[in-house]
Amino acid sequence: MTRLTGSALRVTIFIGENDIWHHKPLYTEIVHRAHAAGLAGASVFRGIEGFGASSLIHTSRLLSLSEDLPVAIVIVDTEDRVRAFLPQLDELVGEGLVILDDCEVIRYAGRDAESGRTGKKGKRSL
C-alpha cells in the first residue's frame, strides 16, 4: 500500500493537448515516465480555455473551433523524488510551463495490491 503524508512538492506541467512525443501524446509520456520513476501519482486535467506564451486563446466553446486545448499534469511526491524527476521534464517539455509548489499531504493511501481494498471496512464506492 502506497502512503504519503506531510511535506511534499507538487509539480504542475502546462502543455497543449496536441503536443506529442514520438507519435503519442506528450502528457501520456510524462505520466508513464512518472510511473516508471516510482512517483506517488500523476493526474492529467484537460482545460476548457486558456492561453500561454503565444497569447493565442484556445477554447472548447462550440462557436470557436479551437484545437490544442490546455492540459495540466499534476504530480505530488517528496521533494527529493520530484526534483530527481525534473531532468526528464527538461527533456520532454520544449514549449510549456513547469511550476513547483510546496504542499502538505494530509492523507494519501493507495489500495492494497493483493486484495484491492483501501483499508476501510465495508463496501467501496466507485
Side-chain angles (χ1 to χ4, degrees):
M1 187 179 305
T2 303
R3 293 188 183 278
L4 176 66
T5 57
S7 296
L9 194 63
R10 174 178 56 203
V11 59
T12 306
I13 306 107
F14 296 95
I15 58 173
E17 72 176 336
N18 290 341
D19 293 347
I20 59 169
W21 179 263
H22 296 282
H23 308 292
K24 65 181 176 181
L26 177 57
Y27 58 84
T28 298
E29 182 67 18
I30 292 170
V31 168
H32 285 263
R33 286 196 187 193
H35 184 260
L39 294 175
S43 296
V44 179
F45 301 93
R46 184 176 187 230
I48 58 172
E49 191 165 12
F51 71 94
S54 70
S55 293
L56 179 64
I57 294 179
H58 303 274
T59 180
S60 64
R61 285 181 278 148
L62 292 176
L63 297 176
S64 177
L65 299 176
S66 177
E67 294 181 1
D68 201 25
L69 291 170
V71 171
I73 304 106
V74 179
I75 302 168
V76 177
D77 207 322
T78 63
E79 181 173 358
D80 292 342
R81 294 178 78 158
V82 168
R83 290 198 183 277
F85 186 67
L86 292 179
Q88 292 197 54
L89 294 179
D90 285 340
E91 175 188 352
L92 295 170
V93 180
E95 294 180 2
L97 174 67
V98 178
I99 61 172
L100 296 172
D101 298 300
D102 291 323
C103 62
E104 183 178 356
V105 175
I106 304 299
R107 182 175 193 282
Y108 171 73
R111 290 190 175 117
D112 183 350
E114 292 178 16
S115 68
R117 304 206 29 102
T118 61
K120 294 181 180 180
K121 294 183 180 179
K123 295 182 180 179
R124 286 187 288 141
S125 60
L126 298 177

